[in-house]
Amino acid sequence: GEDVEQSLFLSVREGDSSVINCTYTDSSSTYLYWYKQEPGAGLQLLTYIFSNMDMKQDQRLTVLLNKKDKHLSLRIADTQTGDSAIYFCAEITGAGSYQLTFGKGTKLSVIP
Amino acid sequence: DAGVIQSPRHEVTEMGQEVTLRCKPISGHDYLFWYRQTMMRGLELLIYFNNNVPIDDSGMPEDRFSAKMPNASFSTLKIQPSEPRDSAVYFCASRAGGGNEQFFGPGTRLTVL
């Protein structure tokens, strides 16, 4: 079955790097996503990675994928107070599937 | 593009009343999704449409919930009768058929008293 797990909370100091981790159970995952949700807002797509990639970098964001361990991480370099939000990991499984399965989200708190 | 548009943003109603949530997907997107977000259960997919046709409604909690998509630019999610346990944030999202990205609306916060 499909299950996506994330730790619930992470606290970092402004300027440090943040690493948010996610594990998933379905080895047939094709795409894995990171979304950001600020208070009272919808989900904003940050980045995604195809399952045949190990890493993807986009400005301050680095996504690492370990397919063997079914582990996905999001690293935010030089974390700012504006990065405080809930970060959701999500997967799509199976060719032709359009259904996203989300983790419960990790609340990132940035300490000034 | 204005993104996915949802209305109302907030809805407070009394138990037993009918509630209708509305969504306008991004123009040209042929997939539309309805999600519900609660503290206990996180984000759950309720139903999704492709070219206005419901494809999978297995996430719809019970018969009190119904969703329609009469045309490519409009969808509704209706709860009748509403119950306090339906209180949640309901998100609509859309996606282009050939794309990999699903875009979310701002959500409707529903409170059923």
Side-chain angles (χ1 to χ4, degrees):
Chain A
E2 303 158 2
D3 200 9
V4 180
E5 300 278 345
Q6 300 178 240
S7 53
L8 293 180
F9 302 99
L10 177 66
S11 183
V12 298
R13 293 205 172 274
E14 191 174 16
D16 288 350
S17 292
S18 308
V19 180
I20 303 171
N21 294 300
C22 169
T23 58
Y24 58 97
T25 56
D26 197 323
S27 57
S28 65
S29 291
T30 52
Y31 288 91
L32 295 126
Y33 298 79
W34 285 104
Y35 282 84
K36 176 184 180 183
Q37 186 179 31
E38 297 184 23
L43 277 75
Q44 173 196 354
L45 178 63
L46 287 178
T47 186
Y48 65 94
I49 189 168
F50 186 48
S51 57
N52 68 354
M53 298 170 63
D54 299 324
M55 185 182 86
K56 181 177 180 181
Q57 188 154 2
D58 183 1
Q59 299 183 334
R60 292 190 298 122
L61 305 179
T62 303
V63 178
L64 294 178
L65 175 61
N66 182 329
K67 278 199 76 173
K68 175 175 170 289
D69 295 337
K70 300 189 186 72
H71 182 265
L72 183 75
S73 68
L74 174 69
R75 178 177 181 269
I76 306 172
D78 187 25
T79 312
Q80 302 298 306
T81 54
D83 295 323
S84 293
I86 300 176
Y87 290 80
F88 292 90
C89 171
E91 64 173 350
I92 280 184
T93 58
S97 173
Y98 294 92
Q99 298 189 38
L100 283 172
T101 300
F102 285 87
K104 292 280 196 305
T106 299
K107 184 173 182 180
L108 174 64
S109 298
V110 182
I111 305 164
Chain B
D1 199 318
V4 177
I5 299 171
Q6 291 187 247
S7 65
R9 293 294 312 277
H10 302 273
E11 176 83 28
V12 180
T13 191
E14 291 189 345
M15 184 173 65
Q17 297 297 305
E18 177 180 295
V19 174
T20 299
L21 312 180
R22 297 172 176 81
C23 175
K24 181 181 182 339
I26 293 172
S27 177
H29 283 191
D30 44 11
Y31 284 85
L32 184 140
F33 306 80
W34 282 102
Y35 291 86
R36 178 171 67 175
Q37 185 180 36
T38 60
M39 289 290 292
M40 290 298 295
R41 299 173 68 90
L43 272 157
E44 304 172 279
L45 176 66
L46 300 178
I47 185 171
Y48 79 93
F49 296 82
N50 177 217
N51 291 324
N52 315 337
V53 176
I55 302 300
D56 187 345
D57 65 354
S58 59
M60 295 284 262
E62 48 197 274
D63 291 345
R64 296 185 297 107
F65 285 68
S66 62
K68 293 182 180 178
M69 192 165 185
N71 56 63
S73 59
F74 183 67
S75 176
T76 59
L77 178 68
K78 186 176 291 187
I79 308 172
Q80 165 63 16
S82 57
E83 296 182 3
R85 62 192 167 116
D86 302 330
S87 296
V89 181
Y90 290 82
F91 288 104
C92 177
S94 72
R95 170 186 173 146
N100 299 315
E101 302 174 12
Q102 203 171 115
F103 296 93
F104 282 73
T108 295
R109 182 173 294 276
L110 172 65
T111 303
V112 183
L113 302 174

